[in-house]
Structures are given as C-alpha cells and as structure tokens.
Amino acid sequence: MTTSVMDKPGNLPAELTSFIGRRHEIAEVRRLQSASRLVTLTGIGGVGKTRLALRVAEDSRRAFADGAWWVELGELRDSALLAETVAATLGLPDQPGRSMSDLLIDHLATRQTMLVLDNCEHLLSAVAELVESLLRACPGLRILTTSREVLGVDGERVVRVPPLTVPDAAQTPPLEAMAQYEAVALFVTRASARQPDFALTETNCAAVAGICDRLDGLPLAIELAAVRIRAMSAGQIMDRLTDRYRLLTVGSRAAPTRLQTLRSCVDWSYELCGAREQKLWAWLSVFVGGFELDAAEGICPEELVAGEFLDAVASLVDKSVLVREQVGDVVRLGMVETIRDYGKEKLRESGDLHRAQRRHLSWYEQLVLRAESEWIGPRQTDWIARLDREQPNLREALAFSLTEPVVTTDPDVNARLTNAMFVAFWLCRSQLAEARRWMDRSLTTAVNAQTEERLNSLYDDTVLAGMQAKPDEAAARAAQCRTLAEQLGDPESLETANYASGYMALFTGDLAAAVEPFQAALASAGVRSEIGPPPRRAGYEITRQLGGLLGLAGASGLLGDEETAVACHEQILAITTPREESFFRAHSSWALGQTALQAGDYDRAATLTAQALRLSRKINDPAMTGWCLESLAWNEMREGKATRAAVLMGAAQTLAKAVGSDSVTLTYLIGHHDECERLTRDALGTRAYGEAFRTGTEMSVDDAVAYALGDRQTDKPRAAPVAPLLTRRETEVADLVAEGLTNKEIAATLVISPRTAQGHVEHVLSKLGFTSRTQIAAWIAENQKPRQP
C-alpha cells in the first residue's frame, strides 16, 4: 500500500470499492481545512470516518507539493512508538542521538505536506502532543485525523461524521427518489457487486429502505447486510433484522446507541456463520494488522485446519468478516477493528484466548528464526518484505512474550525473538529506537533467560547503542557482556564479548582499541568452524561474523591499514556471493569501489559501485542507494563527465533528505563530496550546474538508478527550457541573501517569521544545489537582475 518516498508523493491507499455520497461532509472538511491546519473527523466505529478521510485526502493531495501521507494507527498499541510509526511511513530512519519527534519536525518544517492520522482514539494523548508540536514547528503542514474522540488541541476543527442518509421506512419514497439516499445507494452498490443481477425495484424498494433504516445508515452494518443478498432476498434480510433487533425498534428510538446497533449487526452476522466459521472467526482475531494463510494454518487448532479450511476462510471473506488485500504478489487477510474485537471477545468467552496467544507467539517465533537462518541467502529480500508486513503481529508476539505467565514458563522466548529480529530485520531497516526498546525490556524482564541468549542480547544492544551515538550505554552493555562471558569461560562466549568490545571501541572513536578484539573474535570463529559442528543458531553466528568483518574493515581503513580493510571486504564477498546475499554484499562492494576510486582505477570503481547500487535497490536500502549514487558521481567527474556527475549528486541529495539525513555520505567522506561539487561547478558554470543538479533532485529513485547504471541514455538534464528555478518569493529571499541580510533581517523586510525565512533560504540552497549563502550571492550576480527597491 505504500510507495517509495521518491516514486510518488504520498502513500494514500487505493480505494478498492466505490465511494458513496458524503458531498456535504466533504465540502465541510474542505471549508474547515481552508481556515485550520488541523481537522478531526469524529464518530462511532463503522460510521465511515476512514473512507471519508481517504476521499478528502485523495481530492486534496495535488495541493501539497510534498504529498499526502496516510498513517494507520489502529493496530499500534504502544504510544511510545507513535513518532517512529509516522517517521517510518515517511521513510525516515533513526538518526543517532536524535529523537524521532525532532527528526519529523526537521523533515516537515519546510515542506508542503498533508498527514492523515487514522484511528487515533486509543492513543489520544500521544497523538495530541505530537500533532501540537508538529503544527507549531511546520508551517506548511496540514493534518487530518479520524478519532472517536476529539484531540483537544488548540486550533482543532471538528467534523462529526453522521450515518448515511436514509429514507423514511414508514413512508417509502417513490422508486425514482431512492437513489438520493446514501444508505440505499451503498446497499444497492454492494449488493449488486455480490449478486450482479440485483437491482432496486418496486418490489424490493420498501425492504431496502427498511434495512437501511433499521441499521441507522451505518456503512459497516449496511455492508454486512448487503453481502447476504447472495443467499437471501431483501425482504428476508429485513425480516431477520426485525426479528433480531426487536429490542432496538420497540419503544424509544433514543434508547440504543449507535455502537449497540453496530454490535447487534455483528451479532447477527456471527449467527449467520456456521459453527466452524464462528470458531475460525474467533481464532483469527488473535492476529493484529492482517495475516497470511500459512500463519492462519499455523496458529489455528488442528480440528479447524483439518478438512475444508480454505473453504471456511473463503466463506468468511464472502461474508465480509475477513478483508482481502493484495500486497504485490501476496494475498493478506484481515479484520476491521470492530469485527476483530468481537471475535476476540468470543475467543475469551470460550476460554481459548491464552491458548491462541501462545500459538500465535510460537508461530511468529518460528517465522523469525527461519528468517534468521535463511537471511544470509537468496531469500533475504523475501524475508525482509515478509517481516515488514508482519510488524504488528511481531510486536504483539513480543509484548505477549514478556507477560508473567510466559516469562515464568519459557523465559528464553523473548530473548530468542529479539535476537533474531536484530539480525533479520531491525538492523537492515535502521529501526534502532524500536529495537533498543524491545531489547531493554527483554534484558530487564526476562532476567532468567539462558546465559547464551542473554549474552547475545547484550552484544546486540551494544551495537544498537553505538549506532544511536550513545557511547556510555554501549560501554555499559559491552562491560556486562564481558563479565558474563568471563563467568562462562567458553570460547564462543568470549568471542561474543570481543565482538561487543570491538564495536564499543569503534563507536567511541578508539580505532586502535577496536582492532584487537575484532581480530580475536574472528580468529576464534574461524577455529571453531574448522574443528566443530555447525552451531545451533548458524544464521545468527554467520551474521555476527560478517558484522565483525565489517567492523574490522572500518577500523582498519580509518587507521590507514587499507590492506586489512580490503581483505575483510573481500572475505565478506567470498562468504556472501555464493549464498546470493544482498545486504553485506552491497556494503562491501561499495567500500571496495571507494578504495578503487581513490587508487584511480575508475573502471573497477564503477563496476563495484554499480553492483552495490543494484543490491541496495533490491533490498530497498535507501541510505546505501544514496551513497552509491554519490560515489558514482565522483567517478563520473574523475572521468570528465561533469553533467552526469551533477545530476547524480542532485539525486543523491534528494535521497539523503528522504531518509532524514543531513549528509549524502559518511562523515569521513565529506571532503570528497565537496571536491566533486567544486570541480563540477567549475567545469559547467554555476547556472548549468544548478540545472543539472535540479534535474537529479527531481528524479524518482528508479529513474536515478537507471540513469546511474546507463539504462537512461542521455546526459541532457532537460529536453526543453527549464521553468524559473526559484519562485517569486524565493527570488526575493535570494536577492536579500545576496545583499548580506541575515534570516532575521529577511523576515523583518518581508514581514514573515524567521523560521519561514529560514525555510525559504533552505529551499533556495536545495534547488540551486548550493551549500552556502556566498554561492547564492554569486549566482544572483551572474544570473539575476538587481532587486527593485
């Protein structure tokens, strides 16, 4: 459902069914959005808040240069992960030493963006706090939320979403007037989708009106009723509703709440299911955020899986209990929240809830362990994608594994899960903050886990803390790892402690101190592999060894020992290439390409870097993709292809911004970036450089990769004259920069806020491919007329 940040602005889900009515509500939301930057859609569950928000966002997205972004919060249970969830939707990875809220503010501060936060009611305080901070700091941001309660944020405007309009069942309108009622239109549309020959007639008109009236115009309830048209007539559906809802239709119509009406509809839908389907509905409610068939077969009891299991699943899809979603080549199934909550209640009443949660945990533990064991192999890309899809279920399993009954009976399960997730997912997805949160909870709660697993957790957390630029925490974990390893005394444990010590030293900048423990760990691993059987967790072991080689290569290279660094990278390629692995191969290919580039072997540098680019794109690693584009730019400049270099530098910069990085490359390579920029600008001239650079910034990821690899056969940045590089306001700002005014002085001159002035200056720098205000002044002198007083 999501798209790459650069492929298309935004990630709005596709509307799989037709949208009915809501003209008044759409107009009201638009009116309020013109006056307020925060609009909240409120109403009961099943009233259609999400569909209305999606339609408004789709209609409005063209007004936002940086896209409309959909953030689904219904399955998020931990409010501490709110900012991470929003950032992940925008494609922003963790940045060491920075809070995710600050990263979001930096990313959105100068962008014209729409955020849609769907299903906020269970995270009300956290959402309100985040929304308030984002709106205060990001003037170009508009937010649309859906929630059963208002957020209570200053400036919030609220649209209460009513049920669909319904005809008066006591006095049925003429057939030709029925289409004006939204509830009728919805019922007819959904019923005809299930039964193509269904149509509204004089015969069934009254029954359809009655159905819509009895269901109070609630879209979800109407859709649940409409699916029964395959087995019943409209009159029979109406009769069943009358029988079932006698309590709701006799006496005061003010007595029942909308929620009670919806529950009654779900009760009725449940009773229309056979006993097998009812039990399957309950068991499948243990999933969070959807599931695939192998998972359903894995967690359900044997008596449900045996026999016509697929037919029962298909029947629940037909009854709209399960929702089918196509994700690429994969079909996922899920339940809307109301349906899932109902099934979970039935599971609890049957006494099977804890058993189902246990089976859910066990299945996902095995899934992650399989991913870990096969991760260094040809299925790496598939495993990353699968774990991506399963994040809500994995979080649910991790949380359940820390509950007292599980910790008491199986204290190792959480440590096994977190260690496998570290290897197979969190690290390559740069989800450092979430990984550390789970790792910390594991080390604190599962204190009785086996020492082998606890030792691995301490090593993992050392690496994570170092990557987050928290050296004190990394040192503390490494010390704990060393103490525990020395207590155990076996070679494998001491090897783990050495890996931890090596990374701790590397991340704290003590390069010389990092080399010896890495060498000792790798030597020990080599001896054990020669004399002993394969370890029980071979996937974890080989990944840790590859990580150790990367660490030694990094420390050695920075110390000037290029021979050792190259040997380490070549060893990584020797291990990973036959296994068709991508993540480590990309890193080592890129690093060897850098070495070849510095040695003047431009052909080898281009070949290795292109290989790294293909591998990083395969696993959708945006940071490494950006590094490769930047390195290829340096290579092109060295070969005298200045225009291509400028285009690639522009593409690399846009990718860096997309992942929330201030730099297009690693810190110790910034000097090469600056040199390439200077040489390219000198070769092309300021204006031509700016146009080529801008061409690169506007490329999609796929186009930039194709251009870099020579699949796009042109060096011309544009086929037609370019539009003015700067907007009128940006030109005014550039003129004032050229005159030497500070941001504060520019703000006073143009009567705007200093933060807005800063945003305009940053946009000017980005569009022109510049890094300093002096370059803006030179560009103005060369290309622009003086600003009129």
Side-chain angles (χ1 to χ4, degrees), residues 87-88 91-95 100 103 429-432 622-623 656 658-661:
L92 307 181
D94 295 334
Q95 284 192 28
M100 197 58 78
L103 180 60
R429 275 291 181 260
S430 297
Q431 293 187 358
L432 309 182
V659 300
S661 175

Side-chain angles (χ1 to χ4, degrees), residues 225-417:
V227 301
R228 303 311 306 165
I229 205 70
R230 290 178 65 178
M232 300 178 183
S233 67
Q236 289 173 318
I237 294 173
M238 176 62 186
D239 290 340
R240 291 294 299 267
L241 282 173
T242 302
D243 291 340
R244 169 50 63 190
Y245 296 152
R246 187 181 303 277
L247 178 63
L248 301 179
T249 57
V250 176
S252 172
R253 290 184 59 83
T257 66
R258 301 290 186 185
L259 184 58
Q260 288 170 332
T261 300
L262 181 59
R263 179 181 172 82
S264 296
C265 184
V266 180
D267 276 335
W268 170 69
S269 186
Y270 182 78
E271 291 179 9
L272 287 176
C273 293
R276 182 187 182 89
E277 293 168 348
Q278 289 178 345
K279 188 170 184 179
L280 185 58
W281 177 344
W283 271 82
L284 294 180
S285 71
V286 77
F287 289 105
V288 182
F291 57 90
E292 293 167 29
L293 276 176
D294 57 347
E297 291 172 320
I299 69 102
C300 286
E302 289 70 17
E303 63 269 21
L304 272 183
V305 177
E308 299 175 347
F309 176 74
L310 293 180
D311 290 341
V313 170
S315 180
L316 290 179
V317 173
D318 285 342
K319 292 181 170 72
S320 293
V321 173
L322 291 177
V323 179
R324 181 186 184 278
E325 179 188 4
Q326 188 85 28
V327 183
D329 295 331
V330 177
V331 171
R332 285 182 68 81
L333 301 168
M335 296 179 180
V336 297
E337 185 179 353
T338 303
I339 298 295
R340 178 176 177 267
D341 288 346
Y342 185 94
K344 200 167 185 179
E345 182 179 317
K346 293 296 182 183
L347 193 61
R348 186 179 290 107
E349 290 173 359
S350 71
D352 284 333
L353 177 59
H354 187 74
R355 179 184 170 209
Q357 290 173 319
R358 284 274 191 172
R359 291 178 69 95
H360 179 274
L361 168 61
S362 177
W363 195 87
Y364 278 99
E365 179 196 1
Q366 294 307 310
L367 179 78
V368 173
L369 290 175
R370 289 203 310 274
E372 176 196 74
S373 68
E374 297 181 13
W375 204 73
I376 305 299
R379 294 199 60 209
Q380 186 179 79
T381 304
D382 296 335
W383 278 119
I384 293 172
R386 179 66 188 268
L387 297 183
D388 241 338
R389 298 193 299 269
E390 297 290 0
Q391 276 203 84
N393 281 306
L394 290 167
R395 288 167 177 160
E396 188 83 354
L398 283 163
F400 181 69
S401 72
L402 289 169
T403 59
E404 185 177 346
V406 178
V407 171
T408 302
T409 57
D410 189 1
D412 300 332
V413 63
N414 181 266
R416 290 195 299 268
L417 263 173

